[in-house]
Amino acid sequence: MNKLLFILLLFACQQASSQNRPLDAAAIQQIKQGVQQAARTTLTITSEFTQEKEMSILNDKIISSGAFYFKKERSLRWEYIHPFSYIITIRGDLISISNEGEVKSFNTQSNRVFAEVNNIIIGSVNGTLLDDNSFSAGYSQNRDHYIVTLTPLSPSLKENLEKIIIFFDKANFTVNQLEMVEPAGDFTRITFSKKQLNQPIPDEVFVLR
Amino acid sequence: MRYLFFVSIVSILLSSGCQPVKPPRLTPISAETFNTIVSTDTPSLISPFAIPIFEKGLFKATLNIGKHHLTGLAFIKKIQTEDTDSTVSGTTYRMVLSNEFGMTYFDIETGNQSFNVNYCFGPLDKKMLWKVLKTDLKLLFPQEPDKSKESFFLQDQTNLLVSKIKQGNFTRWNLYSPPDTLKEVRGKSTLADHATITFSNFSNGFPSRITLTNALIKLKFSLSLISIN
């Protein structure tokens, strides 16, 4: 009987540690400060990433992976390696895409979804997204992460996004995972791994020719 | 001013919408002649993808409409629907177009008699646009033709075999390179939705590149194959 009780208690503890727990005001303030501090001190990020798009109705996933580069203030490079090769660089408002050797550049304003995703990624890296008035924020944590759930407030954003969930690493307040949930229930999960902070990245990395 | 506007619209329609969808230089041939040259056992006859076992595929996609330039991935899946009460029955094709980061631009499902837009990203959610896109995208997917309304031709000079099929309210022209390679599909239901689809870069019988164009609305939709099952 005691053995059974012990197993049940152990199971309950495991469940509790894996579940997301809400945070009080002081803890929320601590997260905001931590993210802002990380944003101030993070000049570059080099990382690998895995992106999963889950299509609930089709019961299928599209999984891609590659390399990610960020350089302050607003330079990004997404280099998709598998299952296709594709490079996207974003410098300020200019997006360049290299596809099969052909490079096309356009302004983020000509593609609203791109502009929104760009703002979300940059905003979550530099911490400004947490104070963005376009979203209401909910805070929780699990064992390894502080979890911020952002719900769009503006009707136009709500059309495309139900919520964004950002997983900040408890150790250094950098983003480990980003989930973008769409109104139909489909979602994209981007997981960053092998992160290296403040390693020099030449500006040319963000230029496609 | 109003007159000038009217003249401009008519000019656009005349210069692009009224381009003949019918391939030039056609000589009628019998169904028997057509069938002896083209392998009728190959479902490619009814499949623009020219492959009989197309269950699902992932493509790189580029969609240009006027000034708008969208890029990303197109996931296409064949769906077998059993439910007779469903608005969509039989075999349908579902296409989800999303940007590289996974955010959906549109999600459509099309079958022989049906076309549903399950989701559409705000700026693309225009009734007039979808009226045109409906025919354009229906052309892209396999259809079961009404054989009784099918006629056949041989195109002079190119020696391409051509079949003309009436499907619902639009006419579809399939251009084959014998024995079973579908090179091009043309179709329209109104002046505005005259579309041409070309298939190229064949690999193991499957076109690695598919391009849909509609001159009137300045649409070009390109698909490059990544993987197929």
Side-chain angles (χ1 to χ4, degrees):
Chain A
M1 186 63 189
N2 281 346
K3 199 174 175 182
L4 181 65
L5 193 64
F6 175 74
I7 290 169
L8 282 174
L9 270 173
L10 190 68
F11 180 70
C13 287
Q14 275 180 338
Q15 285 291 97
S17 68
S18 64
Q19 280 174 355
N20 301 341
R21 302 185 302 279
L23 295 167
D24 59 24
I28 291 170
Q29 194 55 34
Q30 191 191 341
I31 295 172
K32 285 186 176 180
Q33 285 171 354
V35 171
Q36 282 163 3
Q37 171 69 15
R40 271 195 297 273
T41 56
T42 304
L43 303 177
T44 67
I45 302 172
T46 306
S47 160
E48 293 180 6
F49 73 90
T50 302
Q51 180 177 309
E52 295 169 69
K53 177 175 170 65
E54 185 146 331
M55 291 171 285
S56 50
I57 301 167
L58 292 177
N59 197 23
D60 260 297
K61 268 185 193 177
I62 299 173
I63 300 175
S64 46
S65 58
F68 169 83
Y69 303 86
F70 165 78
K71 188 170 188 178
K72 228 172 184 177
E73 289 290 329
R74 291 169 60 81
S75 296
L76 290 176
R77 177 184 172 110
W78 298 86
E79 187 169 347
Y80 290 85
I81 295 166
H82 184 79
F84 49 87
S85 65
Y86 211 83
I87 304 171
I88 302 166
T89 61
I90 304 170
R91 296 178 81 198
D93 288 331
L94 184 74
I95 296 174
S96 298
I97 295 175
S98 172
N99 180 18
E100 294 166 2
E102 188 185 1
V103 177
K104 282 191 175 166
S105 296
F106 54 96
N107 193 286
T108 50
Q109 300 314 309
S110 69
N111 186 328
R112 216 172 79 189
V113 176
F114 238 114
E116 282 168 11
V117 174
N118 186 35
N119 289 339
I120 290 164
I121 306 283
I122 297 274
S124 56
V125 171
N126 66 22
T128 55
L129 204 60
L130 304 188
D131 291 318
D132 192 326
N133 291 331
S134 317
F135 300 93
S136 68
Y139 293 81
S140 61
Q141 66 176 330
N142 63 19
R143 197 183 64 185
D144 302 320
H145 297 103
Y146 292 119
I147 302 161
V148 182
T149 302
L150 299 168
T151 308
L153 297 175
S154 76
S156 62
L157 258 178
K158 275 184 186 172
E159 279 180 23
N160 313 315
L161 270 176
E162 188 182 302
K163 59 186 171 185
I164 304 160
I165 308 169
I166 309 169
F167 292 75
F168 289 100
D169 192 324
K170 277 187 173 176
N172 59 13
F173 291 95
T174 60
V175 178
N176 274 354
Q177 191 169 293
L178 192 67
E179 288 181 14
M180 293 176 281
V181 183
E182 297 177 54
D186 293 357
F187 70 88
T188 302
R189 178 186 296 125
I190 302 173
T191 307
F192 298 95
S193 60
K194 299 183 182 171
K195 265 185 294 178
Q196 290 185 302
L197 305 181
N198 297 328
Q199 297 296 310
I201 306 175
D203 285 342
E204 290 73 47
V205 167
F206 305 97
V207 179
L208 296 179
R209 291 190 179 92
Chain B
M1 187 67 190
R2 193 179 286 179
Y3 176 73
L4 274 175
F5 177 73
F6 175 74
V7 170
S8 315
I9 293 293
V10 171
S11 304
I12 291 169
L13 284 172
L14 287 173
S15 62
S16 39
C18 291
Q19 283 173 0
V21 68
K22 180 183 173 182
R25 304 181 309 276
L26 296 184
T27 304
I29 57 173
S30 67
E32 291 72 29
T33 307
F34 183 89
N35 289 336
T36 54
I37 306 171
V38 173
S39 166
T40 49
D41 293 335
T42 310
S44 62
L45 262 182
I46 55 166
S47 164
F49 292 111
I51 191 164
I53 50 167
F54 179 76
E55 294 296 330
K56 57 184 176 182
L58 183 63
F59 300 82
K60 282 184 198 172
T62 306
L63 177 62
N64 293 311
I65 306 176
K67 290 182 290 182
H68 300 282
H69 176 75
L70 308 178
T71 60
L73 298 174
F75 180 76
I76 300 171
K77 187 173 183 178
K78 184 180 174 182
I79 295 176
Q80 213 66 44
T81 312
E82 301 294 337
D83 185 1
T84 50
D85 293 333
S86 169
T87 52
V88 179
S89 59
T91 301
T92 62
Y93 279 83
R94 187 94 178 243
M95 174 193 257
V96 178
L97 181 71
S98 64
N99 74 356
E100 291 80 356
F101 301 119
M103 305 299 294
T104 306
Y105 289 130
F106 62 73
D107 173 353
I108 59 152
E109 188 167 359
T110 178
N112 248 8
Q113 304 296 328
S114 61
F115 185 88
N116 295 331
V117 180
N118 299 317
Y119 172 78
C120 182
F121 166 59
L124 285 177
D125 197 6
K126 306 271 191 280
K127 198 175 174 184
M128 286 306 290
L129 174 67
W130 278 101
K131 209 170 174 180
V132 177
L133 279 179
K134 178 179 171 180
T135 304
D136 292 355
L137 292 173
K138 273 179 87 74
L139 277 175
L140 191 57
F141 291 94
Q143 304 283 328
E144 289 166 24
D146 182 348
K147 290 282 184 187
S148 65
K149 293 177 183 171
E150 196 171 10
S151 47
F152 306 97
F153 307 87
L154 182 66
Q155 188 175 44
D156 299 342
Q157 295 172 7
T158 63
N159 281 331
L160 290 178
L161 288 160
V162 180
S163 74
K164 177 191 176 189
I165 309 164
K166 186 81 178 159
Q167 284 181 308
N169 63 345
F170 69 89
T171 306
R172 173 197 186 102
W173 298 82
N174 290 345
L175 286 77
Y176 296 94
S177 173
D180 60 4
T181 303
L182 187 59
K183 300 282 285 183
E184 189 175 313
V185 173
R186 298 177 178 200
K188 73 172 180 181
S189 63
T190 67
L191 281 178
D193 57 14
H194 168 187
T196 300
I197 302 172
T198 55
F199 303 92
S200 56
N201 297 16
F202 285 84
S203 170
N204 297 323
F206 193 87
S208 299
R209 190 160 183 85
I210 301 166
T211 307
L212 189 160
T213 51
N214 181 322
L216 187 68
I217 59 168
K218 293 180 180 168
L219 176 139
K220 186 174 180 183
F221 185 33
S222 303
L223 298 171
S224 294
L225 181 67
I226 296 170
S227 63
I228 192 166
N229 292 320

